[in-house]
């Protein structure tokens, strides 16, 4: 099964990278605000069903893919 | 083996780049220093302290220190720390210890968006073995920083708890180079035997090169290590 993990800086956490992106977009003339930069992790998970895959990826997020102090994550299981 | 020469292991990870400086500084201060490759599953038997040096282990992939904490040596480092023995993490070493859960908080990208590389003034908040016994509380130290991700962060409740427990050891004095919470520059674990700091004491061990203040921290560590080593008769 395919899993996609979206890791984002938690709300209220200063995101200098997002700020830099926002500043650059403004520089280009785009009217934007509140840009946040996270990361995407695509995975092929060996699991019997989507439920099991979801549980596995959940553990991956807690143990490695995200730091719970500063990041939130969202898991999507497809195919 | 000379009994009063403390033995210290400096762990080199792929991407460490201050490992030799740490070895040099500790040796200059009188330690018998072993450079230990991260793939080693155990620490040398008679080692009295472990130092995780600065650098960019595993290219800072995912998050700084997030991958290095899975290095084979880290289980032995965690065991060593659990036994109450001193472990010091400098810069990337600090990041690794946070990711490994051996120190509270996490290091985030600098608020300024810029890599900082300069001397900074620090205030010693805690003077206690094994890391700051040679300092006095309130003392001002000048030690260089060089990092892009050195903004220590802890949620407010955790930060307050650490303050109450006396786990904040060093603060930036006046000029916070990275935007860390409460100007924190260095913390210890609850037991006080694991410390991490962003400034580089190993780069400040000779007044000829700007400052010798870092030697106070490293020498404190060596004092504690020396005291802990059973003297063979």
């Amino acid at each position: 099964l395919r899993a996609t993990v979206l890791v984002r800086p938690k709300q209220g956490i200063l995101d200098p990278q997002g700020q830099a992106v926002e500043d650059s977009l403004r520089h280009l003339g785009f009217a934007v605000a509140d840009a946040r930069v996270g990361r995407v992790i695509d995975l092929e998970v060996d699991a019997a069903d989507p439920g099991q895959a979801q549980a596995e990826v959940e553990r991956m997020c807690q143990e490695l893919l995200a730091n719970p102090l500063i990041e939130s994550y969202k898991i999507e299981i497809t195919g | 083996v000379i009994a009063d020469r403390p033995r210290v292991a400096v762990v080199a990870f792929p991407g460490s780049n201050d490992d030799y400086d740490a070895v040099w500084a500790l040796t200059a201060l009188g330690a018998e220093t072993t450079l230990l490759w991260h793939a080693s599953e155990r620490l040398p038997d008679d080692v009295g302290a472990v130092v995780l040096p600065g650098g960019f282990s595993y290219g800072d992939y995912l998050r700084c220190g997030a991958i290095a904490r899975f290095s084979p040596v880290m289980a032995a480092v965690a065991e060593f720390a659990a036994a109450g023995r001193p472990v010091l993490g400098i810069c990337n070493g600090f990041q690794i210890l946070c990711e490994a859960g051996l120190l509270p908080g996490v290091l985030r990208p600098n608020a300024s968006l810029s890599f900082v590389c300069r001397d900074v003034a620090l205030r010693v908040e805690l003077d206690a073995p094994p890391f700051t016994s040679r300092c006095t509380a309130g003392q001002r130290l000048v030690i260089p920083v060089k990092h892009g991700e050195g903004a220590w962060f802890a949620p407010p409740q955790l930060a307050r708890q650490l303050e109450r427990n006396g786990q904040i050891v060093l603060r930036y004095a006046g000029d916070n180079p990275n935007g860390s919470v409460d100007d924190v520059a260095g913390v210890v674990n609850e037991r006080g035997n694991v410390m991490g700091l962003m400034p580089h004491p190993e780069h400040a061990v000779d007044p000829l090169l700007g400052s010798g203040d870092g030697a106070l921290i490293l020498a404190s560590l060596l004092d504690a290590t020396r005291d802990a080593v059973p003297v063979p008769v």
Side-chain angles (χ1 to χ4, degrees), chain B residues 112-231:
Chain B
S112 63
L113 310 173
S114 303
F115 192 93
V116 289
C117 181
R118 62 170 185 261
D119 282 342
V120 294
L122 303 166
R123 189 175 60 249
V124 177
E125 302 286 1
L126 175 81
D127 51 357
F131 303 107
T132 48
S133 55
R134 291 228 188 178
C135 308
T136 48
Q139 187 176 356
R140 185 176 178 275
L141 305 178
V142 174
I143 297 179
V145 292
K146 53 180 179 88
H147 58 249
E149 306 200 18
W152 182 82
F153 173 86
Q157 201 186 341
L158 176 59
R160 277 197 299 276
Q161 185 192 330
L162 298 174
E163 177 79 56
R164 271 201 308 275
N165 292 351
Q167 289 177 245
I168 310 297
V169 181
L170 295 171
R171 280 202 161 87
Y172 301 110
D175 166 31
N176 181 336
N178 52 42
S180 63
V181 165
D182 295 338
D183 295 331
V184 168
V187 298
V188 288
N189 62 344
E190 200 167 359
R191 196 167 170 183
N193 67 307
V194 179
M195 175 173 172
L197 76 171
M198 286 315 294
H200 287 265
E202 79 282 18
H203 295 333
V205 292
D206 188 337
L208 270 179
L209 298 175
S211 169
D213 291 351
L216 295 173
I217 292 170
L218 299 180
S220 299
L221 175 63
L222 297 187
D223 287 348
T225 306
R226 195 177 283 116
D227 292 346
V229 169
V231 181

Side-chain angles (χ1 to χ4, degrees), chain B residues 16-188:
Chain B
S16 293
N17 63 8
D18 293 321
D19 41 344
Y20 283 92
D21 298 55
V23 168
W24 187 89
L26 289 160
T27 305
L29 291 168
E32 193 179 316
T33 315
T34 309
L35 187 60
L36 186 68
W37 184 235
H38 76 111
S40 170
E41 284 182 6
R42 44 196 295 275
L43 301 170
D45 284 338
D46 49 355
V47 84
V50 173
V51 173
L52 306 190
F56 300 86
S57 58
Y58 294 91
D60 280 351
Y61 291 166
L62 196 63
R63 295 178 308 275
C64 300
I67 310 287
R69 87 168 158 105
F70 296 100
S71 280
V73 77
M74 284 307 292
V77 171
E79 202 178 303
F80 189 76
R85 316 296 301 279
V87 177
L88 176 67
I90 303 167
C91 198
N92 188 224
F94 187 8
Q95 295 163 338
I96 295 168
L97 290 172
C98 285
E99 282 286 344
L102 294 174
L103 283 175
V106 59
L107 283 312
R108 306 212 57 236
N110 296 346
S112 63
L113 310 173
S114 303
F115 192 93
V116 289
C117 181
R118 62 170 185 261
D119 282 342
V120 294
L122 303 166
R123 189 175 60 249
V124 177
E125 302 286 1
L126 175 81
D127 51 357
F131 303 107
T132 48
S133 55
R134 291 228 188 178
C135 308
T136 48
Q139 187 176 356
R140 185 176 178 275
L141 305 178
V142 174
I143 297 179
V145 292
K146 53 180 179 88
H147 58 249
E149 306 200 18
W152 182 82
F153 173 86
Q157 201 186 341
L158 176 59
R160 277 197 299 276
Q161 185 192 330
L162 298 174
E163 177 79 56
R164 271 201 308 275
N165 292 351
Q167 289 177 245
I168 310 297
V169 181
L170 295 171
R171 280 202 161 87
Y172 301 110
D175 166 31
N176 181 336
N178 52 42
S180 63
V181 165
D182 295 338
D183 295 331
V184 168
V187 298
V188 288

